[in-house]
Amino acid sequence: MNAQAPALNLASDLLTGTEWNASQVRELFRLAADVKAHPDRYKDALAGRFLAMVFEKPSLRTRVTFEVGIVSMGGSAILLDHANARLGERESIADVARSLSRWVHGIVARVFEQEALDSLAAFATVPVINALSDVYHPCQTLADFFTLEEKFGSARGVKLAYIGDGNNVCHSLLVAGARVGAHMRIATPAGYEPDAEIVEAARCDAAATQGTIELFRSPEEAVSGAQAVYTDVWASMGQESETEMRAAIFAPYQINAALMSHAAPDAVFLHCLPAHRGSEVTDEVMESPRSIVFDEAENRLHVQKAILLMLLN
Ligand code: CP
Ligand code: NVA
């Protein structure tokens, strides 16, 4: 297979992002940069490989970037659309995992519950990659920090303010931020903080990279001096019935020009997308020169290609 794939003793799956240590994340970024600069070097890296892509929820970026990434490396992607029937409904997740393992070389899955992903991985004999769950979105935030490394040279020591819901994206930013040595400043309304155990684990991991994790109530305080300001939707997929109630609670957490004025002069704006303009971010900030949201979206492709190379080779 690909001669440039590193031997890193990686875990066989990417379920949370915590499987990878700081040097494995660094190796991922090195490989992603090479994939981005020299895509032709990898055009046959997945020749003869089949990947199943299970989606219980809608997706634009994740679905397209995985499919383009797989096919551009000579592999084949098979979409299993579970938008209308949860995984495990027609037959057990264990049976799905064991059947798929006889035919394909890897499984990419977007699920409602992290437990579904964990069950898939427990029974599959091929790598399972988290394409978003209720708790984590590792592919997103690895691409985010890769993007920040492109902008700032290194993500180590970069002050990143995440403003909004302490959700899956927030958790994965904490996991990845701790591994790259970023200064993470999270501001959420009361009751919407990130999971305390994930925060604590990230704090432990950050100690090794000189990163820091701080939680705030005030968005202005969190953004003060930040070089990167990040937000996500206030109601995630599956929480649509809470949209109105959350809109009132999260209104002071909107990223607008006034909030951005507290950030560093060279601060960039990030959003995993899809964005709800006028809610968590204004149109003005989304369209400003500070916004690097489409660089993030592009880098999903390069980083996920590197993830596939690392797990499948
Ligand atoms: N950011 C992200 O994962 O986008 P999709 O939901 O469109 O895949
Ligand atoms: N937190 C969002 C992220 C979408 C990419 C959700 O889970 O819907």
Side-chain angles (χ1 to χ4, degrees), residues 58-63 110 137 140 237 272-274 300:
S59 171
L60 176 72
R61 280 145 289 274
T62 310
R63 190 189 145 182
R110 169 167 287 194
H137 196 5
Q140 175 68 51
M237 290 179 276
C272 56
L273 305 179
R300 295 290 303 279

Side-chain angles (χ1 to χ4, degrees), residues 199-218:
V199 172
E200 236 4 84
R203 281 210 171 106
C204 288
D205 294 329
T209 58
Q210 281 83 53
T212 53
I213 314 280
E214 288 177 276
L215 302 191
F216 296 86
R217 192 65 70 218
S218 154

Side-chain angles (χ1 to χ4, degrees), residues 81 137 144 147 154 175 180 214 247 284 307-308 310:
D81 183 359
H137 196 5
D144 296 333
T147 308
S154 168
V175 171
V180 300
E214 288 177 276
E284 186 185 4
I307 290 170
L308 290 165
M310 286 176 72

Side-chain angles (χ1 to χ4, degrees), residues 78-231:
I78 301 159
L79 178 70
L80 302 177
D81 183 359
H82 274 268
N84 296 317
R86 292 268 178 108
L87 200 58
E89 251 174 44
R90 182 163 177 258
E91 60 187 313
S92 73
I93 292 180
D95 289 356
V96 171
R98 287 177 294 183
S99 299
L100 283 175
S101 298
R102 300 294 179 106
W103 310 315
V104 302
H105 302 90
I107 303 169
V108 173
R110 169 167 287 194
V111 295
F112 277 93
E113 288 160 6
Q114 179 73 25
E115 290 75 24
L117 207 60
D118 296 340
S119 305
L120 261 183
F123 288 92
T125 55
V126 295
V128 176
I129 299 173
N130 183 347
L132 179 146
S133 70
D134 54 343
V135 190
Y136 294 108
H137 196 5
C139 296
Q140 175 68 51
T141 61
L142 288 167
D144 296 333
F145 280 106
F146 177 78
T147 308
L148 287 174
E149 296 236 318
E150 287 184 330
K151 297 290 163 198
F152 293 110
S154 168
R156 200 179 180 102
V158 165
K159 258 187 174 183
L160 184 151
Y162 174 90
I163 310 298
D165 188 18
N167 61 13
N168 46 6
V169 169
C170 178
H171 292 156
S172 286
L173 282 171
L174 288 170
V175 171
R179 279 155 181 74
V180 300
H183 295 305
M184 305 296 295
R185 303 163 67 81
I186 312 292
T188 67
Y192 294 91
E193 297 86 358
D195 179 90
E197 279 181 28
I198 294 174
V199 172
E200 236 4 84
R203 281 210 171 106
C204 288
D205 294 329
T209 58
Q210 281 83 53
T212 53
I213 314 280
E214 288 177 276
L215 302 191
F216 296 86
R217 192 65 70 218
S218 154
E220 289 79 12
E221 265 183 66
V223 167
S224 175
Q227 293 153 286
V229 179
Y230 197 124
T231 192

Side-chain angles (χ1 to χ4, degrees), residues 189-190 192 234 242-253:
Y192 294 91
W234 292 337
E242 297 176 27
T243 302
E244 213 173 307
M245 185 257 292
R246 283 171 174 254
I249 295 169
F250 282 88
Y253 292 79

